[in-house]
Amino acid sequence: SAAEKPILLNNIADAEAFVSGAEVAVIGFFQDPRSPEAEQFRLAAGQIPEVPFGLSSSDAVLSHYGASANTVVLFRRVDNDRRDLDMNNREVDAKKLTRFVRMNELRLVTEYDPVTAIGVMQSSLQFNLLLITDKMSPKHPERMRKFRAAAELYKGKILFILLDSNLKSNERVLSYFQLKKSQLPALAVFHTPDDEHDVLTVDEISIERLQDFCNRFLQ
């Protein structure tokens, strides 16, 4: 519950367990846990219930992560990456902190929208696999289950992205891959450095088919 957030992390073992226990985890490193910056951090933590927030004022933990005081660090498992936000800047408040988390919280399967798009573009992973589909379809939960299972196999290699074809803001992506709504669902794999891509229209998704498509493109 928001009342229990953020979790206090007093030593390195607690902090490591906290980070490895979630797809996305946020730690605020504050020398003074009662500072105005730490209060803004607490406010943001309450606004994002599904992301675990931890707070540490232990010198050992700060030095273990190479973090300076008054810094918020977002850790993500999908590409083994982290993003740091300096809270010493007086301009940074709970609202900006919330946006920072929303923008950078890439997951095993990240849903693409105007906010996550920024994080997707800044990811260290050069390969993206998009599932372009109608989220309202009765087959959607089963498709997502298989897509997520395949994402586990390519963790650290390919960023798996869900693109809802119902969103007006996603129409540009459909036209980029020269897809019509009648051809969906479709898979599109993309190599960001050179825009090289491949598209596969699928009636049914299987983990084997996803692997075959990804492996062919990676080779």
Side-chain angles (χ1 to χ4, degrees):
S1 76
E4 290 158 15
K5 288 178 79 172
I7 293 161
L8 292 179
L9 305 167
N10 297 318
N11 54 58
I12 293 167
D14 283 356
E16 285 186 333
F18 177 79
V19 169
S20 63
E23 277 195 58
V24 178
V26 178
I27 300 181
F29 296 97
F30 298 103
Q31 270 171 332
D32 174 10
R34 293 270 160 262
S35 67
E37 294 83 11
E39 281 309 315
Q40 291 298 315
F41 180 73
R42 281 190 182 82
L43 282 173
Q47 286 166 17
I48 311 177
E50 69 281 19
V51 176
F53 276 63
L55 191 150
S56 187
S57 39
S58 147
D59 289 338
V61 176
L62 261 81
S63 120
H64 177 71
Y65 286 107
S68 44
N70 285 351
T71 302
V72 171
V73 180
L74 178 142
F75 299 89
R76 55 188 192 208
R77 226 171 56 202
V78 65
D79 54 0
N80 246 338
D81 210 351
R82 66 182 257 185
R83 291 281 181 265
D84 294 36
L85 178 68
D86 183 2
M87 292 287 288
N88 285 307
N89 180 344
R90 292 271 170 250
E91 302 285 296
V92 179
D93 56 8
K95 192 175 170 191
K96 289 203 172 134
L97 187 48
T98 304
R99 183 170 167 76
F100 165 77
V101 173
R102 287 287 180 230
M103 209 165 71
N104 290 294
E105 59 166 336
L106 299 184
R107 297 170 180 273
L108 275 176
V109 175
T110 298
E111 184 164 350
Y112 188 88
D113 62 35
V115 177
T116 58
I118 301 164
V120 166
M121 300 200 188
Q122 292 173 347
S123 168
S124 57
L125 297 182
Q126 297 190 332
F127 292 95
N128 296 343
L129 178 70
L130 282 72
L131 169 59
I132 306 169
T133 187
D134 173 3
K135 266 177 76 180
M136 306 308 285
S137 160
K139 294 181 178 177
H140 181 67
E142 183 55 20
R143 281 179 190 142
M144 272 305 285
R145 192 184 65 72
K146 289 172 181 165
F147 195 59
R148 175 173 273 283
E152 284 278 1
L153 306 172
Y154 292 95
K155 200 161 51 193
K157 284 198 197 120
I158 301 177
L159 191 60
F160 277 56
I161 298 163
L162 168 68
L163 198 107
D164 184 6
S165 56
N166 294 314
L167 281 187
K168 195 134 185 66
S169 57
N170 288 337
E171 282 173 5
R172 275 208 341 267
V173 182
L174 262 78
S175 63
Y176 176 82
F177 290 115
Q178 297 176 338
L179 284 166
K180 298 187 179 73
K181 281 197 174 182
S182 58
Q183 295 171 290
L184 301 179
L187 296 166
V189 67
F190 188 86
H191 183 235
T192 48
D194 57 11
D195 290 354
E196 185 74 32
H197 60 270
D198 193 9
V199 178
L200 177 71
T201 56
V202 283
D203 286 332
E204 285 315 314
I205 286 174
S206 72
I207 296 168
E208 296 71 32
R209 201 162 183 195
L210 281 161
Q211 280 184 277
D212 183 50
F213 183 55
C214 289
N215 293 344
R216 272 209 325 269
F217 189 76
L218 289 172
Q219 278 161 17

